[in-house]
Amino acid sequence: SKTDWALPEEQLLKMEETALQFEPNDLILAKSYLFEDHHPQFMSGIPEEIMDDYDQRDKNLGELRDAFVLEVIEKYNVKKVIELAHKVENPYNYGAALVNSNLDEKQELEIIDLLKSKDAKEKWLLSSYIGSKERLVGRENIIKVFEKIRKSGTYDDTTLTQMLLALKIDLELFEYVDSLKNDDIEETFWKNQNWHMLNDEESVVFAVEKYMKFNRPIAVLNTISHLRVSRKLESDFLIKILEELDLSIENEPKHVRLDHHFVRDVFEDLQNREGLDIDRMAQIEYKFLFLFDRLGHGIIPKYLYQAIAKAPSLYMDFVKNQFFPDDDDLREKEIAKYDPQVRKQLGENAYYILSNFNLIPGLQADGTITAKELNTWIDEVRKLAIENHRPLVTDRKIGELLARYPNQG
């Protein structure tokens, strides 16, 4: 659309003609910019008729990239394309363009030979090529190439597994990897799999079992928390996985990070389900306390709170973890009992629980409190506080708890 501030079309055409005179004659200098940005700026601008048609703009850009790569291969060779891919921040688009260049077998093997490379960009280029080719010609074609190369013995199984890691993950691929009956391929595949977006329960269950086998707790949590399937997974399955997951041992690739937001959704979903075992869920919530809102405004460990409201001894455990005993000798013994980092973590967790715990023992659904139940709980906590040499601080924490009523949140 035209605006008052826009230059006249005649003047713009003259400017474009002048600019094009400075376009370099060298193929690489003239067109390699097509890969330097996700959406490069064209010297000739974008035709007005497709200005708002982003699909067509992407299609046109893809065709220009394909044509450039084909020219480079015809004038130079495939190695020249690999060299150019080194010079850009994201070599992905070079891999896609190579697929559309209809490489012959010898040229394709030059790309496949990047399996030997330790260079991150070359690995990315190879992965892009294989993934793009799978989308173009289907997985069966890639598997045939994989099996042919494997039979040749050119690469060891661990190296060759990179081809499988570039494919779209689903149950079919998982079962194919299993069918190979090869420990090296299985271990390499599952220790290096980085994509966790699975769309059906069967695939999730299969993947989770493998991630558990190879000590990848972050991968497990990211996989079960995928929004499309997490609410379809059986409660018993989720609880069993969360109970068995060992957070102290992990073999995650360096760049894999836990998606806290979506994992919190798993706990929120579980809390909305009925018939769950309070004690089991309380233990799980404590285990994953780092996922809950430290300020007490978001999702809270409600099952843990329910367990505390029923068990004075559990409340006392948190008091003991946050506060040292009044007696100096006992204090020194407790300091020596734990590793400083362990003690620090126990104290931080206890602080979070005691600061946010607001489920008054004896509280009923209508907001009233059963006095006998509350008094019994308080009496027992105070008795335990004396036995554990923490009476004053315990009385203070009980007072803070009672002051939160009726603001239960």
Side-chain angles (χ1 to χ4, degrees), residues 25-190:
N25 294 321
D26 180 84
L27 172 64
I28 306 298
L29 291 176
K31 296 182 179 179
S32 61
Y33 78 95
L34 292 168
F35 291 87
E36 290 174 359
D37 291 301
H38 187 61
H39 291 292
Q41 297 295 317
F42 298 103
M43 192 175 292
S44 58
I46 300 171
E48 187 173 352
E49 62 269 19
I50 65 168
M51 183 63 72
D52 297 322
D53 189 343
Y54 293 99
D55 289 340
Q56 187 60 48
R57 286 169 60 175
D58 285 343
K59 181 181 177 183
N60 289 0
L61 175 59
E63 290 173 351
L64 289 171
R65 285 170 170 165
D66 292 348
F68 168 64
V69 167
L70 190 58
E71 283 186 80
V72 172
I73 293 172
E74 290 174 349
K75 186 173 181 178
Y76 301 97
N77 49 40
V78 169
K79 283 186 170 59
K80 188 66 174 179
V81 179
I82 297 173
E83 178 187 320
L84 290 171
H86 261 283
K87 298 178 180 180
V88 297
E89 185 176 347
N90 180 354
Y92 173 86
N93 292 314
Y94 271 109
L98 279 166
V99 170
N100 294 326
S101 298
N102 296 316
L103 304 179
D104 60 33
E105 185 175 357
K106 182 180 177 182
Q107 290 172 325
E108 182 169 73
L109 286 176
E110 290 185 67
I111 301 298
I112 299 297
D113 202 44
L114 294 177
L115 285 167
K116 296 176 180 177
S117 175
K118 302 297 183 183
D119 182 84
K121 287 189 176 180
E122 290 185 354
K123 285 179 174 293
W124 196 351
L125 177 65
L126 172 62
S127 178
S128 168
Y129 178 82
I130 294 172
S132 297
K133 187 161 186 178
E134 179 190 21
R135 289 189 289 276
L136 183 67
V137 300
R139 178 177 296 167
E140 186 177 348
N141 181 285
I142 305 297
I143 294 299
K144 285 181 180 178
V145 174
F146 169 82
E147 291 178 346
K148 182 178 180 180
I149 295 174
R150 187 179 179 218
K151 190 174 182 180
S152 73
T154 307
Y155 310 96
D156 61 64
D157 288 330
T158 298
T159 299
L160 196 55
T161 306
Q162 294 175 66
M163 289 187 67
L164 301 178
L165 286 165
L167 300 176
K168 179 184 177 183
I169 61 168
D170 55 27
L171 187 60
E172 179 187 57
L173 177 61
F174 299 162
E175 291 178 339
Y176 174 74
V177 172
D178 246 24
S179 73
L180 297 174
K181 306 296 183 185
N182 183 289
D183 292 342
D184 289 337
I185 291 177
E186 181 192 28
E187 181 174 355
T188 303
F189 181 85
W190 288 108

Side-chain angles (χ1 to χ4, degrees), residues 112-311:
I112 299 297
D113 202 44
L114 294 177
L115 285 167
K116 296 176 180 177
S117 175
K118 302 297 183 183
D119 182 84
K121 287 189 176 180
E122 290 185 354
K123 285 179 174 293
W124 196 351
L125 177 65
L126 172 62
S127 178
S128 168
Y129 178 82
I130 294 172
S132 297
K133 187 161 186 178
E134 179 190 21
R135 289 189 289 276
L136 183 67
V137 300
R139 178 177 296 167
E140 186 177 348
N141 181 285
I142 305 297
I143 294 299
K144 285 181 180 178
V145 174
F146 169 82
E147 291 178 346
K148 182 178 180 180
I149 295 174
R150 187 179 179 218
K151 190 174 182 180
S152 73
T154 307
Y155 310 96
D156 61 64
D157 288 330
T158 298
T159 299
L160 196 55
T161 306
Q162 294 175 66
M163 289 187 67
L164 301 178
L165 286 165
L167 300 176
K168 179 184 177 183
I169 61 168
D170 55 27
L171 187 60
E172 179 187 57
L173 177 61
F174 299 162
E175 291 178 339
Y176 174 74
V177 172
D178 246 24
S179 73
L180 297 174
K181 306 296 183 185
N182 183 289
D183 292 342
D184 289 337
I185 291 177
E186 181 192 28
E187 181 174 355
T188 303
F189 181 85
W190 288 108
K191 279 190 175 181
N192 293 279
Q193 183 56 250
N194 298 323
W195 190 248
H196 311 301
M197 305 282 279
L198 294 164
N199 296 320
D200 63 276
E201 301 101 300
E202 195 172 358
S203 298
V204 169
V205 172
F206 194 108
V208 164
E209 289 176 352
K210 293 296 185 180
Y211 288 138
M212 294 279 282
K213 177 179 179 179
F214 293 104
N215 296 318
R216 292 195 57 189
I218 294 177
V220 170
L221 292 171
N222 286 341
T223 300
I224 65 173
S225 65
H226 181 31
L227 195 59
R228 294 184 184 179
V229 295
S230 62
R231 290 184 172 86
K232 300 177 184 177
L233 296 172
E234 294 289 335
S235 298
D236 287 343
F237 171 76
L238 287 172
I239 291 172
K240 182 174 181 291
I241 292 301
L242 294 172
E243 284 178 329
E244 294 180 356
L245 204 59
D246 188 348
L247 301 178
S248 66
I249 304 174
E250 54 93 7
N251 288 315
E252 303 291 349
K254 291 182 180 179
H255 58 278
V256 172
R257 295 291 181 270
L258 180 65
D259 192 329
H260 287 70
H261 174 75
F262 288 111
V263 179
R264 286 191 193 101
D265 286 344
V266 173
F267 280 88
E268 188 170 12
D269 174 48
L270 280 172
Q271 289 182 355
N272 289 327
R273 300 185 185 189
E274 296 180 355
L276 303 187
D277 185 288
I278 293 177
D279 291 335
R280 291 179 71 189
M281 282 301 300
Q283 291 176 10
I284 290 171
E285 287 178 345
Y286 183 69
K287 179 179 178 180
F288 291 92
L289 204 56
F290 62 91
L291 291 171
F292 293 89
D293 181 10
R294 291 273 163 175
L295 298 177
H297 300 312
I299 180 174
I300 62 172
K302 77 168 192 177
Y303 285 101
L304 180 56
Y305 286 3
Q306 290 177 26
I308 293 172
K310 296 289 185 184

